[in-house]
Amino acid sequence: VKEVARLIKEANKHNAVAKTIDGFEVELIRGSAKSRKRLLDLDGWELLTLHIDTILELPKRLARECGVPAEEISEGIKSESIQSCGVLEIWLKHFNNNVHHPVILVPGSAHYSWQKAAAIIGIGSAHVRKVPLDLWGRMDTTALGKMVEDCFQSRTPIMSIVAVCGTTEEGAVDPIDFVVQMRETYRRKGFDFWIHVDGAYGGYLTSMVRQDWEMPPVSSVEGPLISHAAYVPQDKTVVSQHVYQQLKAVRDVDSISVDPHKVRAILT
Ligand SMILES: Cc1ncc(COP(=O)(O)O)c(C=O)c1O
């Protein structure tokens, strides 16, 4: 998703997306100032740090405002994608003078499949940066804050921050709510990143919350552990205050992966 704006710009250069998008503008946020700029004039840094929602709405807006059908966009961007060009061509062509190589931030506890995936798709396992953990085995918020600020200052796009909901070894749940809040702060500076929750191990718990997410406020629940009818199986599922708050924050992230079979194996 982070790549879509760049892909559309490239596809337009090669006539794969109609010239009618010449005057098409997107919103840029820089501090308290909001401005509009032609999509075709955005540089590499701007393309990779656009607000996620701005990127997601591009196909619909292009269809509505420029009459470019969604199929034309998805066809047009295929030839510019990492899958067709390879990462090397993309970075040599577009980004080496303007921005640093993008990174993915994961907690020190992340499953080894993250490095594997980064290696396979060509981002490179060395660009998966590990955030140190706190004594609870969760992503350390101070360290994360510093790493994000370093990326911002050095013009290193963050493709995604991964927060784990149930680490493989410890079952620890990262501070998802903190990551969401931090993203809001950086969005106001014009620096956006995707948030993914790796709930392969513990994410299924999220789907066990009932009552359309109308969970009671944490302050109304006493004690360090919560057993509440909002969960199924009722009164048997107990989660900590921390987990409770993180499950609530999952609705504000961009994607989540869940392996329901893993929880089933534990429950039965
Ligand atoms: C937290 C976490 N993420 C990712 C994975 C990888 O999941 P899969 O085996 O579905 O690729 C696992 C597997 O145990 C995991 O525990």
Side-chain angles (χ1 to χ4, degrees), residues 109-114 164-169 198-202 257-259 261-262:
S109 55
H111 192 259
Y112 71 91
S113 52
W114 283 100
V164 181
C165 182
T167 60
T168 321
E169 280 85 11
D198 179 356
Y201 195 54
S257 44
V258 175
D259 281 8
H261 57 278
K262 292 191 167 116

Side-chain angles (χ1 to χ4, degrees), residues 130-190:
K130 288 196 166 182
V131 182
L133 306 180
D134 63 15
L135 291 175
W136 293 88
R138 301 167 186 155
M139 196 150 50
D140 186 90
T141 50
T142 310
L144 174 64
K146 188 173 175 323
M147 287 169 80
V148 172
E149 181 61 20
D150 284 349
C151 288
F152 177 56
Q153 294 296 339
S154 63
R155 291 170 77 88
T156 304
I158 299 174
M159 294 311 268
S160 178
I161 294 186
V162 178
V164 181
C165 182
T167 60
T168 321
E169 280 85 11
E170 312 288 347
V173 177
D174 282 326
I176 302 166
D177 55 353
F178 175 85
V179 181
V180 169
Q181 278 165 21
M182 187 178 58
R183 196 226 332 239
E184 280 313 307
T185 309
Y186 278 95
R187 272 186 165 164
R188 288 196 285 275
K189 299 180 186 187

Side-chain angles (χ1 to χ4, degrees), residues 27-179:
E27 188 171 78
L28 293 179
I29 304 166
R30 295 286 177 268
S32 54
K34 284 187 182 174
S35 59
R36 297 182 75 78
K37 198 166 169 182
R38 273 184 359 124
L39 174 73
L40 301 182
D41 289 338
L42 299 183
D43 63 26
W45 172 253
E46 290 166 332
L47 287 165
L48 279 178
T49 52
L50 274 180
H51 196 297
I52 298 287
D53 293 344
T54 302
I55 300 178
L56 286 172
E57 67 185 9
L58 282 177
K60 266 197 188 153
R61 277 195 56 208
L62 284 166
R64 202 174 52 233
E65 297 171 31
C66 306
V68 186
E71 305 78 57
E72 185 178 325
I73 294 173
S74 55
E75 263 316 298
I77 65 179
K78 259 188 204 158
S79 60
E80 304 302 326
S81 66
I82 288 187
Q83 290 91 326
S84 5
C85 304
V87 167
L88 188 61
E89 179 181 326
I90 287 175
W91 292 109
L92 287 178
K93 232 165 64 181
H94 307 293
F95 295 114
N96 55 340
N97 293 325
N98 191 327
V99 290
H100 284 106
H101 196 294
V103 296
I104 299 174
L105 303 186
V106 304
S109 55
H111 192 259
Y112 71 91
S113 52
W114 283 100
Q115 267 98 345
K116 218 164 132 184
I120 291 168
I121 62 175
I123 285 186
S125 54
H127 297 293
V128 177
R129 295 190 182 166
K130 288 196 166 182
V131 182
L133 306 180
D134 63 15
L135 291 175
W136 293 88
R138 301 167 186 155
M139 196 150 50
D140 186 90
T141 50
T142 310
L144 174 64
K146 188 173 175 323
M147 287 169 80
V148 172
E149 181 61 20
D150 284 349
C151 288
F152 177 56
Q153 294 296 339
S154 63
R155 291 170 77 88
T156 304
I158 299 174
M159 294 311 268
S160 178
I161 294 186
V162 178
V164 181
C165 182
T167 60
T168 321
E169 280 85 11
E170 312 288 347
V173 177
D174 282 326
I176 302 166
D177 55 353
F178 175 85
V179 181

Side-chain angles (χ1 to χ4, degrees), residues 201-213:
Y201 195 54
Y204 193 63
L205 199 59
T206 314
S207 71
M208 294 162 79
V209 178
R210 291 291 182 263
Q211 301 177 354
D212 291 335
W213 286 103

